[in-house]
Amino acid sequence: FKATLSADVTGELVPDAWKTLVLDRYGQNGRLSFTGIAGQRLGLQVSGQQTLPADRNVYYAVYAPDRTLLTSGTLRGGGALDLSTLPADGTYQVFVDPYYGETLTAQLRLATGTAEGLGVANGSVSYEARAAGEAAYFTFTAKDGDNLGLGISELQVTPENWYAHSYVRVFRPDGKQGWSSTCYLSHGGCDVNLPRLSAGTYAVVVEPVSAGQRLRFKATLSADVTGELVPDAWKTLVLDRYGQNGRLSFTGIAGQRL
């Protein structure tokens, strides 16, 4: 056999900028750092991940300034990790470890999720992955009691096949997954209903089902359309944004039949 001893590859991640990581020695790891602020919401995107041998898993772990584990995950081809709300000011570390010592080339991005401009007051946001396996990462802020709808439209998956679809996951302000949906290419997209939200910053991850697939789509975040119904009167309801919902109310009396 051959034995190789290597120093970890180091570097710095800056918000919303892609960085190339190359681990060209067998058994070598990556150890990247970034400066975080308490209360900040961030995600880690990985694109174009290539290993030799090919299609191997890579372990990613993010550590807080006090060296406690913030989050971790295993990715193949690419993907995204939600780092939730950062607990403290200071220097964070991203540890990258190919499962069985494979060599690695990948693009990493420390994403704020705000660069694409997803919000209820904005129009649809277009997203096109740089490479196969890449997942999109967005954040948005909600007020207490908000009722929102998230729509994924004009979905394109390359290459197309019978199982071409993507997953949508929405994470709460505390970092726990709250909602999810599957978007099928045959349907052109999907939606996620987000009722009765608590105040805070939420994260959205849209990822392909296969590491060999590349996504392109539009995302739209909308407030529910509200209104009042009165007996025996017609009311027009218009939902003109993809994924938008209607929430109409009426006053009823006990025993009334409607």
Side-chain angles (χ1 to χ4, degrees):
F1 61 90
K2 291 183 178 180
T4 309
L5 182 66
S6 306
D8 289 356
V9 173
T10 59
E12 183 178 4
L13 296 172
V14 296
D16 295 323
W18 289 97
K19 183 177 182 64
T20 301
L21 174 65
V22 178
L23 307 177
D24 57 3
R25 293 167 61 89
Y26 207 90
Q28 191 170 44
N29 301 312
R31 196 175 295 271
L32 308 177
S33 64
F34 66 89
T35 301
I37 301 171
Q40 192 175 20
R41 188 73 182 256
L42 295 171
L44 178 67
Q45 289 176 278
V46 179
S47 178
Q49 177 179 289
Q50 297 181 3
T51 60
L52 187 65
D55 299 325
R56 295 293 180 86
N57 290 329
V58 179
Y59 175 72
Y60 292 83
V62 182
Y63 293 92
D66 63 0
R67 299 185 180 181
T68 59
L69 180 65
L70 185 63
T71 190
S72 64
T74 300
L75 302 178
R76 177 180 293 184
L81 298 178
D82 176 44
L83 308 188
S84 187
T85 302
L86 300 188
D89 294 351
T91 301
Y92 291 73
Q93 285 200 341
V94 179
F95 179 64
V96 184
D97 179 17
Y99 256 40
Y100 298 106
E102 300 89 350
T103 60
L104 166 75
T105 300
Q107 299 283 324
L108 279 70
R109 183 189 190 213
L110 184 67
T112 63
T114 61
E116 286 75 17
L118 183 67
V120 295
N122 302 333
S124 298
V125 173
S126 297
Y127 191 92
E128 183 173 2
R130 294 157 51 97
E134 179 181 312
Y137 182 86
F138 308 100
T139 57
F140 66 88
T141 302
K143 303 185 299 296
D144 193 47
D146 274 353
N147 295 298
L148 306 180
L150 173 66
I152 303 297
S153 60
E154 299 182 28
L155 177 65
Q156 298 180 32
V157 180
T158 307
E160 293 186 19
N161 48 48
W162 66 271
Y163 59 88
H165 58 280
S166 65
Y167 295 128
V168 181
R169 296 183 290 152
V170 182
F171 296 87
R172 300 179 186 274
D174 61 4
K176 296 179 180 178
Q177 182 175 314
W179 303 267
S180 64
S181 183
T182 302
C183 294
Y184 292 96
L185 182 63
S186 58
H187 297 164
C190 64
D191 72 327
V192 183
N193 300 327
L194 305 170
R196 300 180 297 279
L197 299 180
S198 301
T201 301
Y202 293 74
V204 179
V205 172
V206 184
E207 56 193 355
V209 67
S210 168
Q213 293 176 331
R214 181 179 176 185
L215 296 181
R216 183 177 181 179
F217 61 88
K218 288 184 177 180
T220 311
L221 185 68
S222 307
D224 289 0
V225 174
T226 60
E228 185 179 1
L229 297 173
V230 297
D232 297 323
W234 290 97
K235 183 175 183 66
T236 300
L237 174 65
V238 178
L239 306 177
D240 57 3
R241 292 165 64 91
Y242 205 95
Q244 191 171 42
N245 302 309
R247 194 174 293 270
L248 307 179
S249 64
F250 65 89
T251 301
I253 301 172
Q256 190 177 22
R257 184 72 179 265
L258 295 172

